[in-house]
């Protein structure tokens, strides 16, 4: 299974820890590529409509190569820290640009990993989950998992052995 993980965090911290634990669990059963959204040059969608949801983006930046990787994947995992009760702007830039090949993105298997500083009963996790559920309903995505974790300091999630174990098992169980 070809899996693309879009990492919305700009730092080597908790989100990357979650991604790495998932990937470790998945082992060779999944061909995983991690796309670090923060290192891409992707302009905001201008809503010009030239793409007609199939033709790709007119922007001369990393949009088309990135979205084409997502189109080619069997499974797409969106991983993000919580910034201001939502996903990071870096991840949102990529998701907005999914519009340029939206028709080709239907039916994907999807996973969502979220790490925030607040406890996991905070409304922010419900908001993010709901947003992905709405996108999934629109694009006929099959959300295979949604996981949220509480961690603030850069290394905090790495010290949460229950979370790391859960993420490894998640990676191993995905097919
Ligand atoms: C700009 C910014 C905004 C943040 N906003 C929130 C927030 O609204 N809710 C929250 O729980 N944590 C918030 N945090 C904390 C991060 O979600 C938390 O530190 C997370 O572990 C960072 O993940 P990372 O290590 O992968 O970058 C914010 C952090 C930053 C830098």
């Amino acid at each position: 299974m070809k899996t693309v993980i879009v990492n919305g965090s700009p730092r080597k911290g908790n989100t990357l820890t979650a991604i790495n634990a998932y990937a470790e669990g998945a082992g060779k059963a999944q061909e995983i590529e991690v796309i670090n959204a923060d290192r891409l040059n992707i302009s905001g969608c201008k809503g010009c409509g030239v793409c007609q949801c199939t033709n790709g983006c007119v922007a001369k930046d990393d949009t088309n190569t990135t979205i084409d990787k997502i189109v080619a994947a069997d499974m797409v995992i969106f991983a993000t820290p919580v910034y201001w009760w939502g996903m990071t702007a870096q991840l949102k830039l990529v998701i907005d640009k999914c519009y340029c090949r939206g028709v080709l993105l239907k039916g994907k298997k999807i996973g969502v990993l979220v790490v925030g500083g607040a406890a996991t009963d905070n409304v922010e996790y419900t908001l993010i989950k709901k947003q992905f559920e709405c996108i999934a309903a629109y694009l006929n995505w099959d959300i295979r998992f949604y996981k949220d974790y509480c961690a603030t300091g850069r290394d905090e999630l790495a010290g949460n052995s229950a979370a790391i174990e859960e993420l490894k098992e998640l990676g191993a169980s995905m097919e």
Side-chain angles (χ1 to χ4, degrees):
M1 181 163 75
K2 201 169 163 42
T3 301
V4 163
I5 304 179
V6 188
N7 177 12
S9 175
R11 69 177 187 174
K12 288 186 176 142
N14 299 307
T15 308
L16 189 61
T17 297
I19 289 169
N20 288 342
Y22 175 92
E24 192 183 328
K28 291 197 173 21
Q30 293 176 56
E31 187 191 323
I32 294 179
E33 180 175 4
V34 179
I35 296 175
N36 291 298
D38 186 58
R39 298 205 201 119
L40 299 174
N41 173 25
I42 292 190
S43 57
C45 176
K46 299 198 188 308
C48 66
V50 173
C51 64
Q52 295 183 324
C53 297
T54 54
N55 299 329
C57 185
V58 293
K60 302 270 181 283
D61 59 15
D62 293 329
T63 299
N64 288 329
T65 48
T66 303
I67 303 306
D68 286 347
K69 285 178 184 175
I70 293 175
V71 168
D74 304 300
M75 176 154 197
V76 185
I77 298 174
F78 298 102
T80 185
V82 183
Y83 277 11
W84 294 98
W85 285 262
M87 70 179 79
T88 61
Q90 291 92 329
L91 179 57
K92 187 62 165 47
L93 277 173
V94 174
I95 289 182
D96 284 359
K97 287 299 185 78
C98 283
Y99 192 79
C100 78
R101 297 222 196 271
V103 170
L104 307 177
L105 283 164
K106 294 195 171 178
K108 298 276 176 213
K109 294 176 196 168
I110 298 295
V112 183
L113 297 173
V114 181
V115 188
T120 52
D121 61 356
N122 190 288
V123 68
E124 64 195 24
Y125 304 103
T126 312
L127 293 171
I128 293 169
K129 185 170 185 231
K130 193 75 203 165
Q131 185 171 15
F132 277 104
E133 285 172 352
C134 290
I135 298 170
Y138 184 68
L139 287 177
N140 196 25
W141 282 351
D142 172 17
I143 299 188
R144 303 293 301 279
F145 65 84
Y146 167 90
K147 291 281 173 195
D148 47 39
Y149 299 98
C150 170
T152 308
R154 194 189 280 259
D155 298 327
E156 202 174 320
L157 192 69
N160 181 343
S161 52
I164 299 301
E165 210 40 54
E166 182 178 57
L167 285 157
K168 284 184 191 170
E169 282 170 19
L170 193 61
S173 72
M174 228 23 74
E175 52 188 30

